[in-house]
Amino acid sequence: GAVVSQHPSRVICKSGTSVKIECRSLDFQATTMFWYRQFPKKSLMLMATSNEGSKATYEQGVEKDKFLINHASLTLSTLTVTSAHPEDSSFYICSARGGNSGRADTQYFGPGTRLTVL
Amino acid sequence: AQTVTQSQPEMSVQEAETVTLSCTYDTSESDYYLFWYKQPPSRQMILVIRQEAYKQQNATENRFSVNFQKAAKSFSLKISDSQLGDAAMYFCAYRSTNFGNEKLTFGTGTRLTIIP
């Protein structure tokens, strides 16, 4: 149990366009989902925490108007990178809190999305 | 604010041998969770092991075990009988038990290489 999927796994877009990344918990209900960004050979940087049915909480320095997060259901959260620019190119990872066997305090991660902005 | 320190950027171990990865953390909280995640070349973050601070017994998952020293704020990971598939980046992470503060604080990671 506790499987998280992300779609797409890779996306290439032109500068100025918007890209949507989906994060789904496949076998559990996730009341909280998290979005991270990871630069090459670096650790994960938390961008925002998303609770189902409420507004996301963004970390300091993360532009909420640029990285739109929606958590409309207990199994789906989306991250939309608006007006993407080359500096937004990165590896984006989502995680979901929850799972079977009472592991509601553990985050389970999706496989990540590699975004390349030309 | 909590911090997590992994002082070993890289480690290597001979296949079938044992290796220990270090992690220390700083917190003023008395109850919290600690995790080890591995990130292989696929970049999928995989939970390796989890420890609740109120439990004195060290967590164990098959070949993976931890040495949790609460007073020293140390949380090392021991991998026994190392296998080629263990090659990955390993991240130590801290999580508060406080409601509303569920985010993970990660260390900088240790890259583990397995020598055949």
Side-chain angles (χ1 to χ4, degrees):
Chain A
V3 178
V4 178
S5 70
Q6 254 182 268
H7 178 80
S9 58
R10 291 175 182 262
V11 57
I12 301 172
C13 69
K14 292 183 179 180
S15 186
T17 61
S18 294
V19 174
K20 179 185 284 188
I21 302 170
E22 291 186 348
C23 177
R24 293 182 184 273
S25 56
L26 299 185
D27 54 358
F28 66 99
Q29 293 186 329
T31 54
T32 307
M33 289 183 169
F34 304 83
W35 287 96
Y36 296 85
R37 185 171 177 176
Q38 186 179 31
F39 293 101
K41 299 185 179 180
K42 297 292 185 182
S43 188
L44 280 68
M45 182 190 79
L46 180 66
M47 299 175 65
T49 301
S50 165
N51 289 296
E52 186 265 338
S54 62
K55 290 184 179 180
T57 301
Y58 290 81
E59 294 299 299
Q60 192 171 13
V62 177
E63 298 176 59
K64 59 182 66 176
D65 293 331
K66 178 158 191 65
F67 299 99
L68 300 179
I69 291 171
N70 183 275
H71 192 165
S73 77
L74 285 172
T75 59
L76 173 65
S77 177
T78 60
L79 168 68
T80 301
V81 183
T82 62
S83 186
H85 289 95
E87 58 266 30
D88 298 324
S89 297
S90 192
F91 192 67
Y92 293 87
I93 308 175
C94 74
S95 72
R97 178 178 68 84
N100 298 327
S101 304
R103 295 283 177 109
D105 46 22
T106 299
Q107 288 186 31
Y108 297 90
F109 286 81
T113 296
R114 179 176 299 283
L115 170 64
T116 302
V117 185
L118 302 176
Chain B
Q2 295 82 21
T3 59
V4 177
T5 302
Q6 292 178 251
S7 58
Q8 306 155 314
E10 296 183 355
M11 291 281 284
S12 60
V13 63
Q14 206 81 31
E15 192 176 3
E17 296 295 311
T18 297
V19 65
T20 299
L21 307 185
S22 300
C23 173
T24 58
Y25 58 93
D26 189 28
T27 183
S28 59
E29 298 176 335
S30 59
D31 197 17
Y32 44 86
Y33 300 99
L34 295 165
F35 304 87
W36 279 97
Y37 285 90
K38 67 181 277 191
Q39 188 179 40
S42 67
R43 301 192 77 172
Q44 166 80 61
M45 292 284 284
I46 301 166
L47 175 68
V48 175
I49 203 164
R50 145 191 202 277
Q51 175 83 41
E52 292 131 328
Y54 69 88
K55 290 186 177 179
Q56 292 186 334
Q57 187 173 7
N58 289 324
T60 299
E61 289 286 345
N62 300 314
R63 298 183 294 108
F64 299 88
S65 62
V66 297
N67 184 3
F68 173 48
Q69 301 289 329
K70 190 173 184 180
K73 296 180 182 174
S74 171
F75 183 60
S76 60
L77 174 70
K78 185 171 84 171
I79 306 174
S80 304
D81 185 25
S82 298
Q83 300 175 0
L84 294 178
D86 295 333
M89 195 77 169
Y90 285 80
F91 292 99
C92 178
Y94 172 103
R95 204 214 107 172
S96 172
T97 57
N98 290 338
F99 180 77
N101 186 13
E102 302 165 340
K103 57 183 168 183
L104 290 173
T105 300
F106 285 96
T108 51
T110 296
R111 181 170 301 282
L112 178 64
T113 301
I114 310 297
I115 304 167

